Amino acid sequence: MNDWVKARVVGKHCWTEGLYSLQFEAPITNFVAGQYIKVALDIEGERVGRPYSLVNAPGEQPVEIFFNEVPQGPLTRPLSALNPGDTVWLTATASGIFTLETVQPARDLWMLATGTGLGVYLSILRSPDPWRLFERVILVHGVRQGADLAYSETLDEIANRYPGRFTRVAAVSRESWPTALSGRITDLLTSGDLERHVDLTIDPATSHVMLCGNSAMIKDAKVILEARGLVRHRRQVPGHYTTEQYH
Ligand SMILES: Cc1cc2nc3c(=O)[nH]c(=O)nc-3n(C[C@H](O)[C@H](O)[C@H](O)COP(=O)(O)OP(=O)(O)OC[C@H]3O[C@@H](n4cnc5c(N)ncnc54)[C@H](O)[C@@H]3O)c2cc1C
Ligand SMILES: NC(=O)c1ccc[n+]([C@@H]2O[C@H](COP(=O)([O-])OP(=O)(O)OC[C@H]3O[C@@H](n4cnc5c(N)ncnc54)[C@H](OP(=O)(O)O)[C@@H]3O)[C@@H](O)[C@H]2O)c1
C-alpha cells in the first residue's frame, strides 16, 4: 500500500505554451534515479492520480516533475493551473524499473526521449549511475518544435561536469531549428544521420539504449534496434535496451 502524502508547490516553470515543470516540498522516501511517483489532485470529489518521472536526483529536494498539458486529459490542465503555495497529493514511495540498477556496464549509453520523456534522464544524469557504468553518454531529445527543447541550462551544466563524456543531440521534427537535427529520432536512426552526427555507432557489443516517451516512437525504435541485434533488457536476462512508455 503506497500512502498519499501532502506536498506543497514551491516552484513552477512554463517552458512554452502547455509545457511545465513543477517543484514540490514533499516527504517522499528516497528513490532510484529513473523511478516515478504518482501526483494527484482531488477533482469533483475524486482523487485523480497519474504517474510522473522524478526529474530531481535521488536525495535532492525539491521533488520535480516535467509534463505537458493533454487536451481532454483530466489531470494535466488542473496541474498546470497550480501555483506556489498550492497543495497536491504525491505517493510517498517511488516505483518503476526504468533504472540502471541491473544494466550491465558498457561503453556507450544512449538515452532517447520524445517530449517530456526527457525528464527521467535528468534524474539519471544527475546521479552517479551512468558515469559509473558507461564511458560515454548520448542524450537524444526528439520534439516537434524548437521551443519544446527544455532544460538546456541543466544539460549545459551536466556537459561541463563531464567533459568529453556527454553528448546531447536535439531532433526537431516540425520546423528547422539551428542547433538541432531535422526529423524524428527513428528516421535519424534509419538514415544513420544520428550516429554520423555523434560519430558513434549503436552496436550490441558497445551500447545500451534507453527509450522513453511516446509509445509509437518506442515501438518503431525497437524494430530498428532489434534488426541490429539488440535485445530487450530484463532484470534476470541482461540485454541491450530498456523502455518506459508514457502514452
Ligand atoms: C510510468 C509513467 C511515467 C510517466 N511520466 C510522465 C512524465 O514524467 N511527464 C509527463 O508529461 N507524462 C508522464 N506520464 C504520463 C502521465 O501519467 C499522464 O498520463 C499525462 O500527464 C496525462 O494525464 P491526464 O490525466 O491529463 O490524461 P490521461 O487520462 O492520463 O490521458 C488521456 C489520454 O492522453 C494520452 N496521453 C497521456 N500523456 C500524454 C502526452 N504526454 N501526450 C499526448 N497524449 C498523452 C493517454 O494515453 C490517454 O489516451 C507517465 C506515464 C507513465 C505510465
Ligand atoms: N510543447 C509541448 O510539448 C506540448 C505543449 C502542450 C501540449 N502538448 C500536447 O501533448 C501531446 C504530445 O506532444 P509532444 O510534442 O510532447 O509529443 P509527441 O507527439 O510524442 O512528439 C514528440 C516527438 O516525437 C515524434 N514522434 C511521434 N511519433 C513518432 C514515432 N512513431 N517515431 C518516432 N518519433 C515519433 C514527433 O514527431 P512528429 O512531429 O513527426 O509527430 C516529435 O518529434 C500533443 O497532443 C500536444 O499537442 C505538447
Side-chain angles (χ1 to χ4, degrees):
M1 166 87 183
N2 202 340
D3 291 331
W4 295 106
V5 292
K6 205 170 231 183
R8 197 165 60 87
V9 178
V10 293
K12 175 179 183 176
H13 187 79
C14 177
W15 300 97
T16 184
E17 197 190 338
L19 188 65
Y20 295 89
S21 295
L22 278 176
Q23 294 181 324
F24 308 107
E25 194 178 81
I28 68 163
T29 56
N30 209 1
F31 63 96
V32 180
Q35 290 192 307
Y36 62 85
I37 51 165
K38 273 193 173 181
V39 179
L41 289 171
D42 293 333
I43 301 170
E44 293 170 7
E46 197 187 325
R47 186 152 300 174
V48 179
R50 298 283 184 268
Y52 292 92
S53 298
L54 291 156
V55 171
N56 52 300
E60 281 182 7
Q61 288 275 347
V63 172
E64 183 166 333
I65 62 165
F66 175 46
F67 67 98
N68 61 269
E69 282 179 349
V70 174
Q72 273 88 50
L75 185 64
T76 43
R77 287 293 178 109
L79 205 57
S80 66
L82 294 174
N83 284 303
D86 290 337
T87 55
V88 300
W89 297 103
L90 304 184
T91 46
T93 308
S95 314
I97 56 167
F98 192 62
T99 69
L100 293 175
E101 272 185 313
T102 63
V103 167
Q104 303 294 303
R107 193 188 68 192
D108 307 326
L109 175 63
W110 293 78
M111 298 172 152
L112 311 187
T114 53
T116 53
L118 171 71
V120 67
Y121 296 133
L122 297 172
S123 183
I124 296 172
L125 288 165
R126 287 162 157 164
S127 80
D129 303 347
W131 314 106
R132 187 170 47 78
L133 296 169
F134 299 90
E135 289 171 34
R136 292 280 303 267
V137 180
I138 306 97
L139 171 76
V140 188
H141 189 198
V143 294
R144 296 180 181 189
Q145 315 279 349
D148 303 337
L149 293 168
Y151 286 102
S152 69
E153 282 178 20
T154 304
L155 294 170
D156 285 343
E157 283 165 23
I158 292 165
N160 289 337
R161 207 178 310 151
Y162 300 99
R165 295 183 66 194
F166 181 54
T167 306
R168 51 192 273 228
V169 182
V172 176
S173 53
R174 299 198 185 182
E175 64 177 338
S176 168
W177 192 255
T179 53
L181 299 180
S182 292
R184 291 181 165 190
I185 290 176
T186 42
D187 293 337
L188 294 164
L189 277 172
T190 305
S191 66
D193 285 351
L194 175 62
E195 289 147 288
R196 263 192 296 283
H197 179 77
V198 179
D199 199 19
L200 287 172
T201 305
I202 297 178
D203 183 296
T206 51
S207 317
H208 185 87
V209 183
M210 301 180 88
L211 304 167
C212 183
N214 176 327
S215 53
M217 179 280 283
I218 292 173
K219 184 166 158 272
D220 294 352
K222 278 165 63 173
V223 172
I224 297 167
L225 297 177
E226 289 181 3
R228 296 195 187 188
L230 282 82
V231 299
R232 178 191 274 281
H233 175 80
R234 299 180 194 285
R235 288 177 92 76
Q236 311 301 340
V237 188
H240 315 106
Y241 74 84
T242 38
T243 65
E244 178 95 304
Q245 182 177 314
Y246 282 2
H247 61 97

